[in-house]
Amino acid sequence: MKRIAVLTSGGDSPGMNAGLRAVVRTAIYNGLEVFGVKRGYQGMIDDKIIPMDARSVSGIINRGGTILHSARCKAFREPEGRAQAAENLRKHGIEGVVVIGGDGSYHGAQALFEEHQIAVIGMPGTIDNDIGGTEYTIGFDTAMNTAMEAIDRIRDTAASHDRIFFVEVMGRTSGYIAVIAGIAGGAEEILVPERKTDLPALIESLREAREKGKSSMIVVVAEGDDAGHAIDIAAKLEELSEFRGAKVTVLGHLQRGGSPTAFDRVLASRMGVAAVEGLIQGHSGKMVGITNQHMMLRPLSEAWECPQHFDFNLLRVARVLSV
Ligand code: F6P
């Protein structure tokens, strides 16, 4: 293998730049030429493929987002789109690709490998931490710290005014950010998509908390909770109980930006080295994952076939500590 390419795909996550830097520099260290694909798979189809060198990734290890830009590309889901992309890669003499993104991006990578024999290795980049085959995804640590800091600030004002706050965090199908930021921020209640929300039980629990002397309370809500968004749940509380004037804060894309934590920078750096070394050793159709502090290469399909199991014990920890 002489030439490889790297791209970021799907929702951006803090640490993607550190991952890009690691892929580019590991390739150069090993005597490979390396190209960057702009705007994810869309750039592969549109031939937005640019040469990169060690200096083109200088000064980005501490930057959020992705210097290559990212996209969710519908055209790549079709065989015609992938054929066009493979033709462009061949034109540049590119034999291997590192894809930094979530499991949706891995489906595309798998198809590119199976249909066009382009070697592919995935690196898990998403704030949701919902990819099988790895204990951590790049960006999760930063996002949960951002959410925790926001909860800390909200707690100050909640306590000063004896208020109930609903804080909505990201996670359309995953409650990981909610439960970790909730425990770290000392939330009274945490609502996640993995568990059905029982509104009468929530109201009862808030009442008990008030009776025990809590004058302010924080409820963390993952955006994909089955009872609705935080704003809907706050409205229901008003309708069904004596609680009035609960406030709602939606953290939204605040959680996707910002300088990555040391954990995410190091995770992305290690994964980038492992991904390129994997390609050099002849691996393909695999993803890099971290298990017990070790970098492992696993089939890409593990990302969607063996999804991360939500740890319900964390909800129990939060319940015990909110006494
Ligand atoms: O997958 C990462 C994520 O941030 C989810 O938590 C969230 O639901 C989604 O992306 C939002 O995507 P978009 O930026 O396209 O609205």
Side-chain angles (χ1 to χ4, degrees):
M1 188 158 302
K2 294 267 181 293
R3 288 185 171 182
I4 67 165
V6 58
L7 66 130
T8 48
S9 170
D12 64 315
S13 66
M16 277 185 163
N17 276 328
L20 284 174
R21 171 180 179 272
V23 169
V24 169
R25 292 196 172 172
T26 308
I28 290 165
Y29 182 85
N30 285 284
L32 304 183
E33 286 182 67
V34 58
F35 291 78
V37 182
K38 300 207 78 172
R39 298 191 170 76
Y41 290 121
Q42 193 59 50
M44 217 182 247
I45 295 173
D46 298 339
D47 197 15
K48 300 284 188 239
I49 300 174
I50 52 167
M52 301 193 81
D53 61 28
R55 295 290 76 75
S56 60
V57 288
S58 292
I60 65 167
I61 195 167
N62 55 332
R63 282 171 57 190
T66 156
I67 58 162
L68 284 180
H69 300 225
S70 192
R72 302 188 202 272
C73 176
K74 280 209 181 97
F76 200 77
R77 292 189 200 148
E78 306 302 326
E80 299 76 30
R82 294 194 291 272
Q84 180 64 56
E87 191 181 319
N88 289 334
L89 292 175
R90 289 218 178 83
K91 190 171 79 189
H92 292 280
I94 293 165
E95 299 157 282
V97 178
V98 177
V99 178
I100 310 177
D103 59 347
S105 313
Y106 288 2
H107 281 285
Q110 179 80 10
L112 189 67
F113 170 50
E114 283 171 2
E115 295 166 6
H116 301 284
Q117 293 74 53
I118 307 265
V120 292
I121 299 271
M123 284 168 58
T126 167
I127 62 167
D128 291 345
N129 207 34
D130 59 349
I131 298 185
T134 187
E135 287 170 358
Y136 293 100
T137 57
I138 298 165
F140 170 64
D141 186 71
T142 308
M144 71 181 182
N145 275 290
T146 302
M148 180 196 73
E149 283 167 21
I151 293 168
D152 287 350
R153 287 176 163 79
I154 287 168
R155 180 173 292 289
D156 291 344
T157 178
S160 304
H161 287 270
D162 302 320
R163 278 174 173 159
I164 297 177
F165 263 83
F166 286 84
V167 183
E168 183 175 303
V169 299
M170 270 188 164
R172 216 167 1 215
T173 57
S174 165
Y176 258 98
I177 294 177
V179 73
I180 298 292
I183 291 175
E188 274 62 34
E189 292 287 337
I190 302 169
L191 311 182
V192 295
E194 290 84 351
R195 185 179 67 179
K196 197 167 163 31
T197 290
D198 178 346
L199 284 177
L202 172 71
I203 292 168
E204 205 41 51
S205 166
L206 294 177
R207 276 191 192 124
E208 278 171 23
R210 192 143 274 181
E211 277 158 21
K212 281 185 221 152
K214 293 196 181 200
S215 57
S216 65
M217 281 167 268
I218 290 179
V219 182
V220 176
V221 184
E223 64 172 323
D225 187 73
D226 69 292
H229 283 281
I231 190 95
D232 308 316
I233 299 172
K236 280 271 173 216
L237 182 74
E238 185 105 18
E239 186 191 318
L240 301 174
S241 79
E242 68 284 11
F243 290 106
R244 294 286 169 271
K247 299 286 175 185
V248 176
T249 303
V250 180
L251 300 185
H253 289 78
L254 261 180
Q255 297 153 97
R256 286 244 294 265
S259 182
T261 57
F263 181 90
D264 275 331
R265 296 181 199 191
V266 174
L267 181 70
S269 299
R270 292 179 67 195
M271 285 184 163
V273 172
V276 176
E277 288 179 352
L279 278 178
I280 292 169
Q281 286 156 15
H283 292 281
S284 183
K286 305 232 170 115
M287 62 171 280
V288 182
I290 183 166
T291 306
N292 294 331
Q293 286 307 314
H294 292 289
M295 291 296 148
M296 319 275 270
L297 285 178
R298 296 198 162 86
L300 272 175
S301 56
E302 272 201 25
W304 58 87
E305 282 170 4
C306 314
Q308 274 260 52
H309 288 294
F310 184 79
D311 184 355
F312 285 91
N313 194 44
L314 292 171
L315 288 176
R316 199 182 67 81
V317 168
R319 154 91 29 240
V320 169
L321 299 181
S322 67
V323 66

